[in-house]
Amino acid sequence: ASNPVINFSPGPAKLPESVLERAQKEMLNFNNTGVSVMELSHRSSDFTRIITTTENNLRKLLNIPDNYRVLFLQGGGTGQFSAIPLNLLSLKPGQTADYIVTGSWSAKAAQEAEKFGKVNLVIPKVKKYTDIPEPETWNLNPEASYVYYCANETIHGVEFQYIPETNGVPLIVDMSSNILTRQLDISKFGAIFAGAQKNIGCAGVTLVIIREDLIGKALPICPIIFDFKVQVGNNSLYNTPPTYSIYIMGLVFEWILAQGGVPEMEKKAITKSTMVYDMVDSSNGFYVCPLSKGCRSRMNVPVRIGAPEGDEAMEKKFLEEAEKNKLISLKGHRSVGGLRISLYNAVTVEETQVLVKFMKEFMDRYR
Ligand code: PMP
């Protein structure tokens, strides 16, 4: 490997080495155009081929039904926190939306939606995000325009292991940190969105997959750049899209297809996360993961040393020694502290083994 570090970053995150090498090879002269992808017109036939192939490969990877449209937008996941209510709140006259808040990202989305309509919190507010209450206890509003949730809370490590049942109300999901890591029935969703910088590429492009009949209801105040109808009508080319980020995403999709598609990514996600959780669970409390077992993320594993509050000096030592061993970006989010081990698609089983071995050695040295 050209790069000796192992990158467990929560995002922007590791990309497959072969994707980077291909981008490097094509950098100065893409497909005999004499220019780089960055210098191609977004209306050129070469770029049209890139965006069309990228969409088709995504459709293949996720078995996206024909009545769903795919958009490549800007504004990140945060942009969609606004775009979703701006486009979908008026699906019902009450302009109310249900939000299942299980961590800081869904909390932020709910807060943003409150600017544009009424938000109903489906589960009671909690102090610590470590669990998902049983669906039987949820306060779903049958008159809601949509139900919103975050499939994987990147900071708290809360991941849904199932698709919530909404009895016909369109289900909207933020899959920014676990898209293409689990086989899914897309027809269960009204819309799916995901920023690219974790599992599917580099920052700058946000994927939206939306059911056709939900398009065309944007509030009059919706900025045109976020109007799904305008973007769909122009195949994501209403204005200049993030061309290079779309190209990199396309390379990642080709890589996933070559690896065996989503089933293979899912298998690896289970293998990698099980290795880490087994290490934590067999450490006799040296390492602690605060999450309930039923909602433990396969993508982001939050870990404390010296729980429940965490021994910050020991955690600092862990991060320093890890870095000396070329294991990088393991620090927990500043809002929760501790460690966070991110295991996106590009992180290999072998790399995870190296980390687990380091965790074991660190524990044996300091327990
Ligand atoms: N949703 C989730 C689940 C995220 O992890 C993030 C970013 N880490 C966001 C939304 C926000 O994405 P962005 O930074 O692209 O706005």
Side-chain angles (χ1 to χ4, degrees), residues 5-6 8 286-287 305 312-331 339 354-355 357-367:
V5 304
I6 303 181
F8 294 97
F286 184 83
Y287 298 110
I305 305 176
E312 283 178 25
M314 191 61 95
E315 288 167 347
K316 189 159 170 269
K317 205 189 288 271
F318 180 97
L319 293 170
E320 282 166 5
E321 290 194 17
E323 201 151 319
K324 273 195 206 118
N325 284 274
K326 311 276 192 206
L327 305 167
I328 66 165
S329 301
L330 287 161
K331 196 172 172 18
L339 322 171
V354 174
L355 173 70
K357 186 160 169 278
F358 171 81
M359 288 173 78
K360 168 99 179 44
E361 286 165 3
F362 184 87
M363 176 176 75
D364 291 344
R365 238 184 345 269
Y366 292 107
R367 86 139 83 240

Side-chain angles (χ1 to χ4, degrees), residues 10 75-79 81 105 150 152-154 174 176-177 193 195 197-198:
T78 307
F81 295 171
W105 294 112
C150 177
N152 184 67
E153 284 284 356
T154 320
D174 174 359
S176 292
S177 50
F193 72 85
Q197 65 269 26
K198 298 161 199 305

Side-chain angles (χ1 to χ4, degrees), residues 152-318:
N152 184 67
E153 284 284 356
T154 320
I155 294 174
H156 295 90
V158 176
E159 184 176 23
F160 276 82
Q161 310 296 333
Y162 58 91
I163 300 173
E165 176 54 56
T166 60
N167 302 309
V169 178
L171 180 63
I172 313 301
V173 62
D174 174 359
M175 282 194 192
S176 292
S177 50
N178 70 351
I179 191 163
L180 289 167
T181 70
R182 190 192 283 278
Q183 297 175 81
L184 286 174
D185 179 355
I186 300 295
S187 73
K188 301 262 192 232
F189 297 95
I192 297 170
F193 72 85
Q197 65 269 26
K198 298 161 199 305
N199 273 305
I200 49 179
C202 65
V205 60
T206 314
L207 201 62
V208 176
I209 303 166
I210 180 159
R211 213 172 68 207
E212 248 163 18
D213 60 293
L214 305 180
I215 299 168
K217 298 266 173 57
L219 294 171
I221 58 158
C222 180
I224 196 160
I225 191 81
F226 278 154
D227 188 324
F228 292 155
K229 183 167 185 222
V230 172
Q231 291 289 4
V232 161
N234 288 279
N235 295 317
S236 307
L237 298 170
Y238 173 74
N239 70 327
T240 317
T243 51
Y244 197 76
S245 299
I246 293 169
Y247 159 73
I248 294 290
M249 192 185 254
L251 297 186
V252 172
F253 292 167
E254 285 182 29
W255 174 81
I256 297 176
L257 280 167
Q259 298 287 305
V262 176
E264 185 61 21
M265 296 299 116
E266 180 166 19
K267 208 172 94 195
K268 287 214 180 102
I270 294 168
T271 304
K272 291 180 289 182
S273 57
T274 302
M275 282 162 53
V276 173
Y277 286 117
D278 281 352
M279 170 71 237
V280 169
D281 290 342
S282 66
S283 72
N284 276 321
F286 184 83
Y287 298 110
V288 170
C289 168
L291 293 166
S292 292
K293 290 209 169 150
C295 64
R296 284 175 160 188
S297 172
R298 303 155 310 137
M299 293 293 119
N300 311 96
V301 183
V303 175
R304 303 267 2 194
I305 305 176
E309 284 82 32
D311 176 343
E312 283 178 25
M314 191 61 95
E315 288 167 347
K316 189 159 170 269
K317 205 189 288 271
F318 180 97

